[in-house]
Amino acid sequence: MGNTFGKAFSITTWGESHGPAIGVVIDGCPPGLELTETDIQLELDRRRPGQSEISTPRQEEDRVEILSGVFEGKTTGTPIAMQVRNKDADSSKYDIIKNMPRPGHADYTYQMKYGIRDHRGGGRSSARETIGRVAGGAVAKKILERHGIEILAHVVELGGIKASPVQVDEIKANVESNPVRCADPEAAKTMLERVKQAREDKDSIGGIVEILALGVPPGLGEPVFDKLDCDLAGALMGIGAVKGVEIGSGFASAAMTGSQMNDPFEMRNGKVVCSTNNAGGILGGISNGEIIVCRIAVKPTPSIARSQKTVDMSDLSETNITIEGRHDPTIPPRIVPVAEAMTALVLADHLIRAQSYTK
Amino acid sequence: MGNTFGKAFSITTWGESHGPAIGVVIDGCPPGLELTETDIQLELDRRRPGQSEISTPRQEEDRVEILSGVFEGKTTGTPIAMQVRNKDADSSKYDIIKNMPRPGHADYTYQMKYGIRDHRGGGRSSARETIGRVAGGAVAKKILERHGIEILAHVVELGGIKASPVQVDEIKANVESNPVRCADPEAAKTMLERVKQAREDKDSIGGIVEILALGVPPGLGEPVFDKLDCDLAGALMGIGAVKGVEIGSGFASAAMTGSQMNDPFEMRNGKVVCSTNNAGGILGGISNGEIIVCRIAVKPTPSIARSQKTVDMSDLSETNITIEGRHDPTIPPRIVPVAEAMTALVLADHLIRAQSYTK
Amino acid sequence: MGNTFGKAFSITTWGESHGPAIGVVIDGCPPGLELTETDIQLELDRRRPGQSEISTPRQEEDRVEILSGVFEGKTTGTPIAMQVRNKDADSSKYDIIKNMPRPGHADYTYQMKYGIRDHRGGGRSSARETIGRVAGGAVAKKILERHGIEILAHVVELGGIKASPVQVDEIKANVESNPVRCADPEAAKTMLERVKQAREDKDSIGGIVEILALGVPPGLGEPVFDKLDCDLAGALMGIGAVKGVEIGSGFASAAMTGSQMNDPFEMRNGKVVCSTNNAGGILGGISNGEIIVCRIAVKPTPSIARSQKTVDMSDLSETNITIEGRHDPTIPPRIVPVAEAMTALVLADHLIRAQSYTK
Amino acid sequence: MGNTFGKAFSITTWGESHGPAIGVVIDGCPPGLELTETDIQLELDRRRPGQSEISTPRQEEDRVEILSGVFEGKTTGTPIAMQVRNKDADSSKYDIIKNMPRPGHADYTYQMKYGIRDHRGGGRSSARETIGRVAGGAVAKKILERHGIEILAHVVELGGIKASPVQVDEIKANVESNPVRCADPEAAKTMLERVKQAREDKDSIGGIVEILALGVPPGLGEPVFDKLDCDLAGALMGIGAVKGVEIGSGFASAAMTGSQMNDPFEMRNGKVVCSTNNAGGILGGISNGEIIVCRIAVKPTPSIARSQKTVDMSDLSETNITIEGRHDPTIPPRIVPVAEAMTALVLADHLIRAQSYTK
């Protein structure tokens, strides 16, 4: 279980890395929304590997096909099924991991949970699973767009190198102009060097991605267990390699005083606003009309070209494993569209849920 | 909506700070579990304010009553309803916040979401709501106990003061022996001074709480959206004042390399274990048999005795508010039992879900 | 599990017949609805036994108390908890059924499922559980009322005696004027005689209840698994003693031809309507604007004063049981408010869900 | 919403009659179950039209493809996605129903609910949607088989002609040997004549299908809202054309007395059993170990070759419609595998849920 996300707007993803295909079924999409395969493809192309010198050179095409729920270019309110065929790939190189779990990967835990697993390319735990999320998120973004809500993500730290604080406009302008998806061009250059060095070291590096949601009206979020920050935290923590989530001032709040942390209310252009945004746009689990700000900690890529200690599960002997193939030496730049997708899914779900409060 | 948590073992909480009562309904508790009101009261007493010199001096008795689901001292598999009567309290002191939202509180967002709210003592957004969570968590802990699982939480940072790393035994021995619930006795003293100073400054401080789950078997967690870390992140982020959640190395992972981060597998006493625990006991969203480690960032108490800027919603004029009454100058020590409860609820839910994988 | 009903407007019921109390928690009630304990009490009084010469003479007071979710006479959007205290009752007369399951009751199946049960008065499987449903349904009715939707139920067959077809006005006028809740006064008299005779025979009789929903707009119901008729069928079948549910022409449809069954569309007062209503107001699982018509088959009361064959579970010997106490010789009249409540809950849930389709 | 069925074992169906494909995603299938496309195809072939002289002569191939969740012939515990490509069909013949809703069909209600619909072949409301249900049910049947549970359905009434009562063995032997799927060979002949006559009359007929579940252990079903009979009633009522559901003695119970209806308990071969089975295998919403017996009322096919009154939605004028193409003059024989599938889905879901009660 656990392959469905969302209550009023939901996605159900399916598929393994080396199975016939990967896909998603969206339920709860409002009818009458203009939707084409191009809308989806644009986001999938941002997710796709092989786009830059630092991502895996595998050439995956990942052409999406919409199979239901759209008629004459518009959604009909019925489920939208989408899928991407996997390329026939030689999976013999994965034979080694059948019995030897890779450190930092889900091989061991899937085996312990299910007693059986499709080990090829990580099977269901492969990053290819995010194709379904990104496709679903693309539809969520289109819904949000109708309500003036926009989602942006960018890399703010990579391999220990921190970007300078940036304005929203800079993110829009810069984030897709460099391979590390950092909105600070200077930091981006240093980050890129750091990534190349990591690859040379047969190692990998982690980083931090920030996600912003602009234009979210006050009132989204359902206390007390479906708070907006609960759902964002759960959604973002569930992306592979994410080990931490924070909202607004996040972990820095722990060292602040109340008089520093509290965002005062004031009037601006006839509207109630906050003078600061330490809360990150959410108070008591409900959006307050400010920009929603999340940051996620992304661990270094677990697949590294060095020999690592592991156990051969067939005879419980200690051994070493060296993972073949070429892998991204860092994940945060590629997580950007996935984090946007998960954020969009949470917000679209809550937007639709909130519509029931009108009467 | 959003007042129910859990899929196979769930709690539904209800009640406002100054309403007649606060309560919880548990569904999915296995039959045959020994359960008395004392089991619940013990945890509620840990949560209750007025226990130490640094918590609010309000004397709340918070006597729990079990109303269903238990027969001759054992659970029957039917819903367990529990409630705590609220004391009649003078709520006139809250008149001021009816129209003036307190910075850092949920007053403004509840008003924007629902158009109406019980403003007395924060109503539904009051920390008193956690009575239901702690009562539910007490039952979850009893279920976990039968499977050898134990939950521990302790304060690891308060007002910028960091505790030294401690062993599990030290946590068990020390955490309840000082009012800040810090397992490092030296740090606890400094933290206590820091709390007192904050109160003197009419201010408040935040901190970090760490939660450990011991004895969790491998295999709990449902990929891809109900991962164990998704559910823990959502559960913990939903506790009032929490602004960040991390698992294992968490945000520190962002600056690590893959060769540092990956936990090698090795054999110990005939079992596959990890040499290190940077993953915090969870790989691919599934428990791996190691100790589960979470940390949460807790913001400083938003109620401070200083004048703060706000807006009078009745005429949209800017004004100032000074919150009366005495409030805890810091939340982390009191969040400890709540964080344990939420962690226990997540694990009991996943434990029961995992039992369906046997055939 | 299974004690929560509804997705956007839900109730969670709890409590056993001879436990301390019985109650319900409503989640998803729109804010700003005027609600008092009197609104609830009116419906509970209709459900209460001891109201007429043919129902059990037990004098249950069943005073409801609202414990949360209402502030200054209006709902706030937070959970509404309500409860009714059970009277202290001598439960020694139930000792006999501890090991001897009563034919037609849930004693045996609860014991087999849970391995333990509160046998007193049937415990959780008692008809007293419907207090929570009726209290929840009373709130649902108030929501529906704001949208011009009204729910009516009446007994159309009792002990084999069929009422003549009646108009909606006759139901409103007559149903509460006789103890069998039949809108045909002539049939009501004969039915009443039949009930008395059954009691004299130490036996019991069944019947059929019809439920109408007036004023339901077209468009409620979610294909393909949450169809309006799916949810109505599930909700009504789940009332104790119900063994069948039909919509519109129901089982009679099986012997009709398409040309008889199909309801032609026509224009009336500028609106599209159906010339007939064999569909019972639902097509493809979605309301079509006509009156929704359901009928439920209610089995005879299983508690009869005759000796019946059963098994002593303590030694697996065959034996006989005679159930003491006085019991209603027929259930349909008392099921009327419960069936209305369940229908109201389904419609309120779907009404709120449908509001998300506006944008 | 509403396209997902089941809580611990669920299916999500998608697809329209004339879209690119129809499919299903199964979540919660236990790992290690042997599964091939042939297992699914066998059931789909039973569902497929064009198999006999009385079903539509359209030659649909309906080849299923498994796209995920199966590795080396066994399920892995991850979602199983399956799909069937739709044949390119000329949909111009459906132009007439774009604005003119067919009586007895969902055209009008879909249009009112969504404001837009894929009208071709009924779109989402087409009987082709049941491909996903039958594919999902085929997997459910394999799970049930491991637990010794078998599902059988047969036509017991057609066009007013009732079959004689039959034994389980006769159903197994006879049901697939005649085109009306009736286990009484004599009645089957008369029914077949009745079907042919209906077609000649340009009309259609309804009937009743009985579904049996053999080998269900006591203890399945979750009181009070997820009772086994609630879920069966909802599942079966949701099949297109079904207008009534009854369990055990069903509507006949209404005219019985308690002493007739109650099933006495007795010992047989060392086990507690019921002497009769008026309850249809379910007491208090929980299986009691007897055969589960459901019957569904199926209305006559709404598509008939006669002119029928309807309204042109484009100008709200009254008009007449004659539906082209050839349609099954009766649905019950083809509903048999669908009803089996829905019953299997309910039981597999409850079987898995019940496994959590072991500790």
Side-chain angles (χ1 to χ4, degrees), chain B residues 7-8 10 26-29 77-79, chain C residues 1-6 11-13 110 113-114 124 129 133, chain D residues 7 221-227 230-231 350 353 357:
Chain B
K7 294 197 174 171
S10 77
I26 298 172
D27 203 1
C29 182
T78 62
Chain C
M1 281 311 247
N3 296 281
T4 296
F5 182 82
I11 63 166
T12 300
T13 72
Y110 269 67
K113 180 175 191 68
Y114 300 111
R124 179 76 180 141
E129 182 268 332
R133 302 180 182 216
Chain D
K7 294 196 175 174
E222 302 287 324
V224 295
F225 296 117
D226 295 354
K227 287 175 172 175
C230 291
D231 283 5
H350 277 282
R353 293 168 77 177
Y357 283 91

Side-chain angles (χ1 to χ4, degrees), chain B residues 94-113:
Chain B
Y94 292 105
D95 287 352
I96 191 175
I97 68 169
K98 187 159 189 176
N99 290 315
M100 295 189 202
R102 294 166 296 175
H105 276 284
D107 302 332
Y108 176 71
T109 50
Y110 268 68
Q111 191 67 39
M112 293 305 284
K113 180 176 190 68

Side-chain angles (χ1 to χ4, degrees), chain C residues 19 38 77 111-113 132 156 161 191 193 211 238 244 267 285 341 344:
Chain C
T38 306
Q111 191 67 39
M112 293 305 284
K113 180 175 191 68
V156 297
I161 297 149
M191 287 173 179
E193 289 313 304
I211 307 107
M267 295 301 300

